[in-house]
Amino acid sequence: MQNFDYWTPTRLVFGRNAIEKLPEALAPYGRRVLLAYGGGSIRKIGLYDRVRELLAGCEVYELAGIAPNPKFAPSVLEGIRLCRAHAIDVILAVGGGSVLDCCKGIAGCARSEGDPWDIITGKQPTTGAVPIVDILTLAATGSEYDNAAVISRTETNDKVAYFSPLVFPAVSILDPTYTFSVSRRQTAAGTADAMNHVMEQYFVGDSTMLNDGFCEVALRSLMANCRKLLANPEDYTARAEMMLCCTYGCNGIYALGNAYGGWPCHGMEHALSAFYDITHGEGLAILTPRWMRHILSEATAPRLAQYGRHVFGVGEGLSDWEAAEKAIQATYDFFASIGIPMHLREVGIDESRIDEMAAHVVADWPDMQTAWVPLGERDIAEIFRASL
Amino acid sequence: MQNFDYWTPTRLVFGRNAIEKLPEALAPYGRRVLLAYGGGSIRKIGLYDRVRELLAGCEVYELAGIAPNPKFAPSVLEGIRLCRAHAIDVILAVGGGSVLDCCKGIAGCARSEGDPWDIITGKQPTTGAVPIVDILTLAATGSEYDNAAVISRTETNDKVAYFSPLVFPAVSILDPTYTFSVSRRQTAAGTADAMNHVMEQYFVGDSTMLNDGFCEVALRSLMANCRKLLANPEDYTARAEMMLCCTYGCNGIYALGNAYGGWPCHGMEHALSAFYDITHGEGLAILTPRWMRHILSEATAPRLAQYGRHVFGVGEGLSDWEAAEKAIQATYDFFASIGIPMHLREVGIDESRIDEMAAHVVADWPDMQTAWVPLGERDIAEIFRASL
């Protein structure tokens, strides 16, 4: 078991009508609120109007139109400008992981000195941050419970991870009913994203019985609840359990004391979505079984076999190698069964930029070389090709 | 799934040599430190000397001799006096759950107005608290990661739970090597305590697949690691996993969104240890299988059967009732196998005060009446008698 230093000060307000606690959640920070959101979905479900009612006593400025794979320009830059121009006390992020990630970038840059891109990339330190309160509308990324953000810079095809202990949300308001209207496609992609978060912490060199069991039940729960939601998108219990599984995704709680495995599928997927702006969860689902196949060896087979036996119930009585192969196939089959396009060509990615993307992964994600199974540029390109 | 409002701002610094971060952990609060501990065990393992070295730049006052089942008088009262007399900036608790609980009582009362016992019992509010940093030496209670304390008042046989969001430890330093010297008896009792914490959150009216799996693996892990430690008390990995399982015990993370089950075994055990000052974990181990037997019914059998099948691997192919009976026996057998005295008479409790204790439980623990299976005074007395 590895040493760790864990701290997650975010308060989770979870359940139907959790939004009633919004005024109390904002009150400690002040009256000048930056309300940040994406497209029109929060208007469609009536959430925008309810939020504006609850903000009645506040001075509200808006940052709308935050895109998926949130962009440094214009959204982060415009948010920084608004925070500074209006001396914003607190950012209220309403949306999914992209809105939250964008707001984390804004929060840290607005109260730190230096060039914003240097702050995002860690070249200059985050020395302060505007407090963040969020209302989640999509179960997927876990950004509501961690201190990380993924920000894209379109002109250079960079998609980088920004971290600071100062950007943990202060309060995350999690009402599963806001996810009732999430489409089948986004529900499936969110499930794949959350499953991959668990796997990135599970496929590591050192783990515990406790963490293995926690990760394995999280994977079973995500799959079972995804199936329920594709049949009935308004199944409250399934939306709620899915949301909690996703919330735990990236703050480390699934695997405290486990070795760090490098998050290789995330490293690779970030290049795909930086170059082609695809849906992150779909990119992960496409890559995951190909990554498993690529790293299958005598050394990794026992772990993949355990995964197959405990998560999918396949491989009992078989050798570890055979069980691992069944586990990889079961992973692929599950993602296909929930309607995810399982080939890069289906999401608009062809062979033309594979080598360029592989080079980008190596440059943007140094952990590839220290991953559970280290991967070089050539390995990455092979995994991309196998995913076509 | 139930609504919940969850917040655990404690930072966990975990692993070998975690104590090196002590100066950094204390620094934000100030130089005037109340060093609180129990008996001589922290001297025996060299921890006292190391702590004093690391406190070299601080002004240190000491509160020693905090007893198991920590007492309002003298320990809590003396701690309050020291905090006020010396304008203490931060309390450093070094020990197990009893030391920590005592320090929580001190921390809240020292900075709140009103009679200390009224504050402990919630009749007057906790409006401030001295920050707490702790160094844990016993894996059991989970007090290092929650906002609760159990305080006993000898003259009235009261043992009450004190809660305040202000008494979460700021930083918990968790080095499993400090638990190498914990005796077989205390290792077993700590395991039983932690197992019961999980069960109190597992035997409830509404739970999720995620929580069930998390609780079930925690129980399996606690049993497996306890067995390893009875064979080899210096097995680092087993001490570490045991410590983490215990740390999660009482802050709610095992079961976010589960219904509240009333913690009936804790309600009953508090009377035993208030009247007879027995070891909390042993009292819980004795009561748990008798409680299960008492509440076994057509309604509860499926849950007990699931517990038997998933935690002990007993009851496959049997009816739920038969599986539940096997689960209850397996629970008893496990506790007996780790050397816990499984009858109240063996820990010095006879029939004489059973009715008096049952009345105390009803008075001190109102949740008995809203528990998963509500229990009245007569039920409680029956469970006590069955435990003799």
Side-chain angles (χ1 to χ4, degrees):
Chain A
M1 194 161 163
Q2 310 288 307
N3 287 8
F4 64 84
D5 194 330
Y6 173 78
W7 181 61
T8 303
T10 302
R11 174 181 164 204
L12 302 177
V13 183
F14 190 103
R16 278 183 206 276
N17 302 317
I19 198 172
E20 301 305 324
K21 294 191 182 169
L22 178 64
E24 172 219 311
L26 293 170
Y29 305 107
R31 291 182 53 258
R32 303 170 73 87
V33 178
L34 178 65
L35 172 60
Y37 53 99
S41 68
I42 70 163
R43 289 183 199 267
K44 256 184 261 168
I45 63 172
L47 178 55
Y48 177 84
D49 292 338
R50 184 73 190 115
V51 167
R52 292 299 312 222
E53 280 168 27
L54 289 168
L55 291 176
C58 299
E59 198 171 314
V60 182
Y61 300 86
E62 292 205 4
L63 175 68
I66 296 170
N69 298 316
K71 311 300 183 284
F72 182 66
S75 294
V76 174
L77 291 175
E78 174 62 5
I80 298 169
R81 192 191 66 73
L82 288 167
C83 283
R84 289 179 173 166
H86 303 293
I88 291 296
D89 295 316
V90 55
I91 299 174
L92 176 58
V94 185
S98 294
V99 171
L100 247 167
D101 281 8
C102 182
C103 289
K104 288 176 177 177
I106 294 166
C109 293
R111 291 211 185 151
S112 303
E113 298 284 323
D115 175 75
W117 187 248
D118 284 348
I119 293 167
I120 297 292
T121 53
K123 289 196 194 82
Q124 293 204 41
T126 301
T127 52
V130 184
I132 299 169
V133 171
D134 65 84
I135 302 171
L136 198 69
T137 61
L138 182 71
T141 73
S143 187
E144 65 276 17
Y145 204 46
D146 70 31
N147 65 344
V150 178
I151 306 289
S152 297
R153 201 172 195 185
T154 314
E155 66 272 28
T156 53
N157 291 315
D158 284 309
K159 185 170 182 180
V160 303
Y162 166 58
F163 296 90
S164 165
L166 298 173
V167 300
F168 276 110
V171 184
S172 288
I173 292 174
L174 308 172
D175 183 338
T177 66
Y178 297 150
T179 65
F180 280 178
S181 62
V182 172
S183 69
R184 292 170 61 92
R185 183 171 177 178
Q186 287 300 333
T187 298
T191 302
D193 188 13
M195 286 179 67
N196 192 268
H197 294 158
V198 180
M199 290 186 210
E200 301 274 33
Q201 298 168 81
Y202 177 84
F203 289 111
V204 299
D206 177 27
S207 71
T208 67
M209 183 177 171
L210 179 72
N211 291 335
D212 281 3
F214 194 17
C215 289
E216 287 160 359
V217 73
L219 291 169
R220 294 196 303 272
S221 162
L222 285 162
M223 291 194 294
N225 286 300
C226 179
R227 286 195 192 97
K228 286 183 193 172
L229 291 171
L230 295 182
N232 174 16
E234 302 203 359
D235 178 334
Y236 178 83
T237 304
R239 285 285 186 202
E241 186 163 343
M242 165 81 54
M243 190 173 248
L244 185 57
C245 282
C246 293
T247 293
Y248 288 155
C250 297
N251 83 325
I253 192 82
Y254 276 127
L256 293 185
N258 274 16
Y260 177 66
W263 291 62
C265 289
H266 272 69
M268 292 186 284
E269 199 293 319
H270 283 184
L272 300 183
S273 47
F275 278 65
Y276 292 95
D277 216 359
I278 66 169
T279 299
H280 177 55
E282 293 183 351
L284 288 169
I286 296 168
L287 292 173
T288 299
R290 278 71 180 225
W291 166 76
M292 289 175 173
R293 178 78 56 193
H294 187 87
I295 59 139
L296 176 59
S297 69
E298 289 299 333
T300 61
R303 188 87 184 137
L304 284 157
Q306 176 183 329
Y307 159 76
R309 292 175 186 132
H310 293 182
V311 175
F312 292 99
V314 300
E316 282 309 330
L318 299 182
S319 71
D320 281 351
W321 189 282
E322 290 165 322
E325 290 198 319
K326 287 213 175 287
I328 296 168
Q329 189 63 45
T331 305
Y332 181 96
D333 291 346
F334 171 73
F335 289 137
S337 78
I338 60 172
I340 292 183
M342 286 302 288
H343 293 271
L344 291 180
R345 291 189 202 283
E346 296 175 67
V347 294
I349 299 177
D350 63 17
E351 216 170 340
S352 60
R353 304 185 75 184
I354 280 183
D355 293 322
E356 193 187 345
M357 290 194 296
H360 244 266
V361 175
V362 170
D364 277 0
W365 204 268
D367 296 345
M368 300 302 292
Q369 274 119 80
T370 55
W372 180 46
V373 178
L375 297 175
E377 204 168 317
R378 202 156 141 180
D379 298 293
I380 296 163
E382 274 178 31
I383 293 166
F384 285 157
R385 283 205 175 84
S387 306
L388 282 170
Chain B
M1 194 161 163
Q2 310 288 307
N3 287 8
F4 64 83
D5 194 330
Y6 173 78
W7 181 62
T8 303
T10 302
R11 173 180 164 204
L12 302 177
V13 182
F14 190 103
R16 279 183 205 276
N17 302 318
I19 199 173
E20 300 305 324
K21 294 191 182 169
L22 178 64
E24 172 220 311
L26 294 170
Y29 306 107
R31 291 182 53 258
R32 302 171 73 86
V33 178
L34 178 66
L35 172 60
Y37 54 98
S41 69
I42 69 162
R43 288 182 201 268
K44 257 185 259 167
I45 62 171
L47 178 55
Y48 177 84
D49 292 337
R50 185 71 189 116
V51 168
R52 291 300 311 223
E53 280 168 26
L54 289 168
L55 292 176
C58 299
E59 199 172 314
V60 182
Y61 300 86
E62 291 205 4
L63 175 68
I66 297 170
N69 298 317
K71 312 298 183 283
F72 181 67
S75 295
V76 174
L77 292 175
E78 174 62 7
I80 297 169
R81 192 191 67 74
L82 287 167
C83 282
R84 289 179 174 166
H86 303 293
I88 291 295
D89 295 316
V90 55
I91 300 174
L92 177 58
V94 184
S98 295
V99 172
L100 247 166
D101 282 9
C102 182
C103 289
K104 288 176 176 176
I106 295 166
C109 293
R111 292 214 184 148
S112 303
E113 297 284 323
D115 175 74
W117 187 249
D118 285 349
I119 293 168
I120 296 291
T121 54
K123 288 197 195 81
Q124 293 202 42
T126 300
T127 53
V130 185
I132 298 169
V133 171
D134 65 83
I135 302 171
L136 197 70
T137 61
L138 182 71
T141 73
S143 187
E144 65 276 16
Y145 203 46
D146 69 32
N147 66 345
V150 178
I151 307 288
S152 296
R153 203 173 194 185
T154 314
E155 65 272 28
T156 53
N157 291 315
D158 284 309
K159 184 169 182 180
V160 303
Y162 166 58
F163 295 91
S164 166
L166 298 173
V167 301
F168 276 110
V171 183
S172 288
I173 292 175
L174 308 172
D175 182 338
T177 66
Y178 297 149
T179 65
F180 280 179
S181 62
V182 172
S183 69
R184 292 169 62 93
R185 182 171 177 180
Q186 287 299 333
T187 299
T191 302
D193 188 13
M195 285 178 68
N196 192 268
H197 293 158
V198 180
M199 290 185 209
E200 301 274 33
Q201 298 169 80
Y202 177 85
F203 289 111
V204 299
D206 178 25
S207 71
T208 67
M209 183 177 171
L210 178 71
N211 292 334
D212 281 3
F214 193 17
C215 289
E216 288 159 0
V217 74
L219 292 168
R220 294 196 303 270
S221 162
L222 285 162
M223 292 194 293
N225 287 299
C226 180
R227 287 196 192 97
K228 285 183 193 173
L229 291 171
L230 295 183
N232 174 16
E234 303 203 358
D235 178 334
Y236 178 83
T237 304
R239 286 285 183 202
E241 186 163 343
M242 165 82 53
M243 189 172 248
L244 185 57
C245 282
C246 293
T247 293
Y248 288 154
C250 297
N251 83 326
I253 192 82
Y254 275 126
L256 293 185
N258 274 16
Y260 176 66
W263 290 61
C265 289
H266 272 68
M268 292 186 284
E269 199 294 318
H270 283 184
L272 300 183
S273 48
F275 278 65
Y276 292 94
D277 215 0
I278 65 169
T279 300
H280 177 55
E282 293 183 350
L284 288 170
I286 296 168
L287 291 173
T288 300
R290 278 71 180 223
W291 167 76
M292 289 175 172
R293 179 78 56 192
H294 187 88
I295 59 140
L296 176 58
S297 70
E298 289 299 333
T300 61
R303 188 87 184 135
L304 284 156
Q306 176 184 328
Y307 158 76
R309 291 175 186 131
H310 293 182
V311 175
F312 292 99
V314 300
E316 283 307 331
L318 300 182
S319 72
D320 281 350
W321 189 282
E322 290 165 322
E325 290 199 318
K326 285 211 176 287
I328 296 168
Q329 189 62 46
T331 305
Y332 181 96
D333 292 346
F334 171 74
F335 289 137
S337 78
I338 60 172
I340 293 183
M342 287 302 289
H343 294 271
L344 290 180
R345 292 190 202 283
E346 295 175 67
V347 294
I349 300 177
D350 64 16
E351 214 168 343
S352 59
R353 305 185 75 182
I354 279 182
D355 293 322
E356 192 187 345
M357 290 194 294
H360 244 267
V361 175
V362 170
D364 277 0
W365 204 268
D367 296 345
M368 300 302 293
Q369 275 119 81
T370 55
W372 180 46
V373 179
L375 297 175
E377 205 170 317
R378 201 156 143 179
D379 298 293
I380 296 163
E382 275 177 31
I383 292 167
F384 285 158
R385 282 204 175 84
S387 306
L388 282 170

